[in-house]
Short mmCIF file of all heavy atoms in Angstrom, two decimals:
data_model
loop_
_atom_site.label_atom_id
_atom_site.label_comp_id
_atom_site.label_asym_id
_atom_site.label_seq_id
_atom_site.Cartn_x
_atom_site.Cartn_y
_atom_site.Cartn_z
N ARG I 1086 74.16 -32.75 38.36
CA ARG I 1086 73.43 -32.50 37.13
C ARG I 1086 73.44 -30.95 36.82
O ARG I 1086 72.56 -30.47 36.16
CB ARG I 1086 72.01 -32.96 37.28
CG ARG I 1086 71.87 -34.50 37.07
CD ARG I 1086 70.45 -35.01 37.46
NE ARG I 1086 70.26 -36.35 37.03
CZ ARG I 1086 70.80 -37.44 37.58
NH1 ARG I 1086 71.63 -37.31 38.56
NH2 ARG I 1086 70.53 -38.67 37.12
N ASP I 1087 74.48 -30.35 37.25
CA ASP I 1087 74.66 -28.90 37.06
C ASP I 1087 75.09 -28.68 35.56
O ASP I 1087 76.16 -29.13 35.14
CB ASP I 1087 75.73 -28.41 37.98
CG ASP I 1087 75.92 -26.86 37.89
OD1 ASP I 1087 75.32 -26.24 36.96
OD2 ASP I 1087 76.59 -26.27 38.75
N PRO I 1088 74.24 -27.99 34.80
CA PRO I 1088 74.61 -27.77 33.39
C PRO I 1088 75.84 -26.93 33.16
O PRO I 1088 76.42 -26.89 32.11
CB PRO I 1088 73.29 -27.05 32.83
CG PRO I 1088 72.65 -26.46 33.99
CD PRO I 1088 72.93 -27.40 35.15
N ILE I 1089 76.26 -26.17 34.21
CA ILE I 1089 77.46 -25.41 34.15
C ILE I 1089 78.67 -26.36 34.13
O ILE I 1089 79.66 -26.07 33.48
CB ILE I 1089 77.57 -24.36 35.21
CG1 ILE I 1089 76.43 -23.34 35.13
CG2 ILE I 1089 78.96 -23.65 35.19
CD1 ILE I 1089 76.40 -22.36 36.26
N ALA I 1090 78.56 -27.40 34.88
CA ALA I 1090 79.68 -28.35 35.08
C ALA I 1090 79.64 -29.53 34.07
O ALA I 1090 80.71 -30.12 33.81
CB ALA I 1090 79.69 -28.90 36.49
N PHE I 1091 78.46 -29.89 33.60
CA PHE I 1091 78.33 -31.07 32.73
C PHE I 1091 77.60 -30.70 31.47
O PHE I 1091 76.56 -30.07 31.46
CB PHE I 1091 77.59 -32.18 33.45
CG PHE I 1091 78.23 -32.60 34.74
CD1 PHE I 1091 77.83 -32.10 35.92
CD2 PHE I 1091 79.22 -33.55 34.71
CE1 PHE I 1091 78.43 -32.50 37.12
CE2 PHE I 1091 79.89 -33.96 35.87
CZ PHE I 1091 79.43 -33.45 37.05
N GLU I 1092 78.11 -31.23 30.36
CA GLU I 1092 77.41 -31.08 29.07
C GLU I 1092 76.34 -32.18 29.05
O GLU I 1092 76.57 -33.36 29.34
CB GLU I 1092 78.36 -31.31 27.93
CG GLU I 1092 77.77 -31.17 26.56
CD GLU I 1092 78.71 -31.34 25.41
OE1 GLU I 1092 79.95 -31.35 25.68
OE2 GLU I 1092 78.28 -31.46 24.27
N ALA I 1093 75.11 -31.75 28.70
CA ALA I 1093 73.91 -32.67 28.63
C ALA I 1093 73.84 -33.50 29.93
O ALA I 1093 73.92 -34.74 29.92
CB ALA I 1093 74.01 -33.62 27.41
N PRO I 1094 73.67 -32.88 31.08
CA PRO I 1094 73.73 -33.59 32.36
C PRO I 1094 72.66 -34.62 32.55
O PRO I 1094 72.79 -35.54 33.34
CB PRO I 1094 73.60 -32.46 33.40
CG PRO I 1094 72.92 -31.34 32.67
CD PRO I 1094 73.39 -31.41 31.26
N GLU I 1095 71.51 -34.48 31.79
CA GLU I 1095 70.39 -35.44 31.94
C GLU I 1095 70.59 -36.63 31.04
O GLU I 1095 69.66 -37.46 30.93
CB GLU I 1095 69.06 -34.74 31.68
CG GLU I 1095 68.69 -33.66 32.72
CD GLU I 1095 68.62 -34.19 34.17
OE1 GLU I 1095 68.29 -35.38 34.27
OE2 GLU I 1095 68.94 -33.45 35.07
N VAL I 1096 71.67 -36.70 30.34
CA VAL I 1096 71.96 -37.88 29.50
C VAL I 1096 72.93 -38.81 30.21
O VAL I 1096 73.96 -38.37 30.75
CB VAL I 1096 72.62 -37.40 28.17
CG1 VAL I 1096 73.07 -38.59 27.34
CG2 VAL I 1096 71.64 -36.52 27.37
N PHE I 1097 72.58 -40.11 30.22
CA PHE I 1097 73.48 -41.13 30.82
C PHE I 1097 74.46 -41.49 29.73
O PHE I 1097 74.16 -42.24 28.74
CB PHE I 1097 72.65 -42.35 31.24
CG PHE I 1097 73.42 -43.41 31.89
CD1 PHE I 1097 73.80 -43.26 33.26
CD2 PHE I 1097 73.89 -44.53 31.27
CE1 PHE I 1097 74.58 -44.23 33.94
CE2 PHE I 1097 74.63 -45.51 31.92
CZ PHE I 1097 74.96 -45.36 33.24
N ASP I 1098 75.65 -40.96 29.85
CA ASP I 1098 76.69 -41.06 28.81
C ASP I 1098 77.84 -42.02 29.31
O ASP I 1098 78.61 -41.61 30.18
CB ASP I 1098 77.24 -39.71 28.44
CG ASP I 1098 78.29 -39.70 27.40
OD1 ASP I 1098 78.64 -40.80 26.90
OD2 ASP I 1098 78.80 -38.68 27.04
N VAL I 1099 77.89 -43.23 28.78
CA VAL I 1099 78.84 -44.20 29.25
C VAL I 1099 80.28 -43.82 28.91
O VAL I 1099 81.21 -44.48 29.41
CB VAL I 1099 78.51 -45.59 28.66
CG1 VAL I 1099 77.19 -46.12 29.18
CG2 VAL I 1099 78.61 -45.66 27.15
N ALA I 1100 80.49 -42.88 28.01
CA ALA I 1100 81.79 -42.42 27.61
C ALA I 1100 82.11 -41.01 28.07
O ALA I 1100 83.02 -40.36 27.59
CB ALA I 1100 81.98 -42.55 26.10
N ARG I 1101 81.32 -40.53 29.04
CA ARG I 1101 81.50 -39.13 29.48
C ARG I 1101 82.93 -38.86 29.98
O ARG I 1101 83.43 -39.53 30.87
CB ARG I 1101 80.48 -38.82 30.56
CG ARG I 1101 80.54 -37.34 31.03
CD ARG I 1101 79.54 -37.06 32.11
NE ARG I 1101 78.18 -37.26 31.69
CZ ARG I 1101 77.45 -36.31 31.04
NH1 ARG I 1101 77.98 -35.17 30.72
NH2 ARG I 1101 76.19 -36.58 30.71
N SER I 1102 83.60 -37.83 29.44
CA SER I 1102 84.90 -37.47 29.87
C SER I 1102 85.18 -36.03 29.41
O SER I 1102 84.94 -35.70 28.26
CB SER I 1102 85.99 -38.40 29.27
OG SER I 1102 87.24 -38.05 29.73
N PRO I 1103 85.54 -35.12 30.38
CA PRO I 1103 85.77 -35.43 31.77
C PRO I 1103 84.47 -35.62 32.57
O PRO I 1103 83.46 -35.22 32.05
CB PRO I 1103 86.54 -34.18 32.26
CG PRO I 1103 86.02 -33.09 31.32
CD PRO I 1103 85.85 -33.72 30.05
N ASN I 1104 84.57 -36.15 33.70
CA ASN I 1104 83.39 -36.35 34.53
C ASN I 1104 83.76 -36.03 36.02
O ASN I 1104 84.03 -36.89 36.82
CB ASN I 1104 82.96 -37.82 34.44
CG ASN I 1104 81.57 -38.06 35.06
OD1 ASN I 1104 81.06 -37.25 35.82
ND2 ASN I 1104 80.98 -39.21 34.74
N ARG I 1105 83.70 -34.73 36.31
CA ARG I 1105 84.11 -34.23 37.59
C ARG I 1105 82.97 -34.21 38.56
O ARG I 1105 82.58 -33.20 39.14
CB ARG I 1105 84.72 -32.84 37.49
CG ARG I 1105 85.98 -32.81 36.60
CD ARG I 1105 86.58 -31.39 36.52
NE ARG I 1105 86.94 -30.96 37.90
CZ ARG I 1105 87.16 -29.68 38.21
NH1 ARG I 1105 86.90 -28.76 37.31
NH2 ARG I 1105 87.47 -29.35 39.42
N HIS I 1106 82.34 -35.39 38.77
CA HIS I 1106 81.21 -35.48 39.70
C HIS I 1106 81.74 -35.45 41.16
O HIS I 1106 82.94 -35.61 41.38
CB HIS I 1106 80.45 -36.79 39.50
CG HIS I 1106 81.24 -38.03 39.77
ND1 HIS I 1106 81.46 -38.48 41.05
CD2 HIS I 1106 81.91 -38.91 38.95
CE1 HIS I 1106 82.18 -39.61 41.01
NE2 HIS I 1106 82.45 -39.89 39.73
N ILE I 1107 80.82 -35.24 42.06
CA ILE I 1107 81.20 -35.19 43.52
C ILE I 1107 80.33 -36.24 44.25
O ILE I 1107 79.98 -36.00 45.42
CB ILE I 1107 81.09 -33.81 44.09
CG1 ILE I 1107 79.67 -33.20 43.86
CG2 ILE I 1107 82.14 -32.86 43.55
CD1 ILE I 1107 79.48 -31.88 44.65
N ALA I 1108 80.04 -37.32 43.58
CA ALA I 1108 79.17 -38.39 44.27
C ALA I 1108 79.85 -38.90 45.49
O ALA I 1108 79.15 -39.45 46.39
CB ALA I 1108 78.93 -39.49 43.22
N LEU I 1109 81.20 -38.88 45.52
CA LEU I 1109 81.89 -39.44 46.70
C LEU I 1109 82.53 -38.31 47.51
O LEU I 1109 83.47 -38.55 48.23
CB LEU I 1109 82.96 -40.42 46.20
CG LEU I 1109 82.40 -41.64 45.47
CD1 LEU I 1109 83.48 -42.47 44.81
CD2 LEU I 1109 81.57 -42.51 46.43
N GLY I 1110 82.02 -37.08 47.44
CA GLY I 1110 82.49 -36.01 48.22
C GLY I 1110 83.63 -35.27 47.52
O GLY I 1110 83.93 -35.49 46.36
N ALA I 1111 84.28 -34.38 48.29
CA ALA I 1111 85.37 -33.63 47.77
C ALA I 1111 86.19 -33.02 48.89
O ALA I 1111 85.72 -32.97 50.02
CB ALA I 1111 84.86 -32.49 46.86
N GLY I 1112 87.41 -32.64 48.62
CA GLY I 1112 88.24 -31.95 49.65
C GLY I 1112 88.59 -32.85 50.77
O GLY I 1112 88.79 -34.07 50.59
N PRO I 1113 88.69 -32.32 51.99
CA PRO I 1113 89.16 -33.12 53.16
C PRO I 1113 88.23 -34.27 53.49
O PRO I 1113 88.67 -35.21 54.12
CB PRO I 1113 89.15 -32.09 54.32
CG PRO I 1113 89.18 -30.75 53.65
CD PRO I 1113 88.49 -30.87 52.34
N HIS I 1114 86.98 -34.18 53.02
CA HIS I 1114 86.01 -35.24 53.33
C HIS I 1114 85.78 -36.16 52.13
O HIS I 1114 84.74 -36.85 52.09
CB HIS I 1114 84.65 -34.61 53.79
CG HIS I 1114 84.78 -33.90 55.05
ND1 HIS I 1114 84.73 -34.53 56.29
CD2 HIS I 1114 84.93 -32.59 55.34
CE1 HIS I 1114 84.90 -33.63 57.26
NE2 HIS I 1114 85.00 -32.44 56.73
N TYR I 1115 86.66 -36.17 51.19
CA TYR I 1115 86.58 -37.11 50.04
C TYR I 1115 86.58 -38.53 50.60
O TYR I 1115 87.34 -38.90 51.53
CB TYR I 1115 87.81 -36.93 49.17
CG TYR I 1115 87.73 -37.60 47.81
CD1 TYR I 1115 86.55 -37.51 47.02
CD2 TYR I 1115 88.81 -38.31 47.34
CE1 TYR I 1115 86.48 -38.10 45.82
CE2 TYR I 1115 88.71 -38.93 46.09
CZ TYR I 1115 87.59 -38.81 45.31
OH TYR I 1115 87.53 -39.43 44.11
N CYS I 1116 85.72 -39.37 50.05
CA CYS I 1116 85.51 -40.70 50.56
C CYS I 1116 86.82 -41.46 50.63
O CYS I 1116 87.51 -41.60 49.64
CB CYS I 1116 84.48 -41.42 49.67
SG CYS I 1116 84.21 -43.17 50.11
N LEU I 1117 87.09 -42.06 51.86
CA LEU I 1117 88.37 -42.81 52.04
C LEU I 1117 88.32 -44.10 51.16
O LEU I 1117 89.38 -44.57 50.81
CB LEU I 1117 88.49 -43.16 53.48
CG LEU I 1117 88.82 -42.05 54.43
CD1 LEU I 1117 88.80 -42.57 55.90
CD2 LEU I 1117 90.17 -41.51 54.14
N GLY I 1118 87.12 -44.64 50.91
CA GLY I 1118 87.01 -45.89 50.17
C GLY I 1118 86.76 -45.74 48.72
O GLY I 1118 86.26 -46.66 48.11
#
Side-chain angles (χ1 to χ4, degrees):
R1086 281 170 169 72
D1087 185 347
I1089 297 175
F1091 300 97
E1092 183 178 347
E1095 295 300 331
V1096 173
F1097 185 79
D1098 182 358
V1099 297
R1101 185 182 295 277
S1102 182
N1104 191 345
R1105 298 182 61 201
H1106 66 78
I1107 54 172
L1109 298 170
H1114 294 279
Y1115 192 47
C1116 176
L1117 289 173

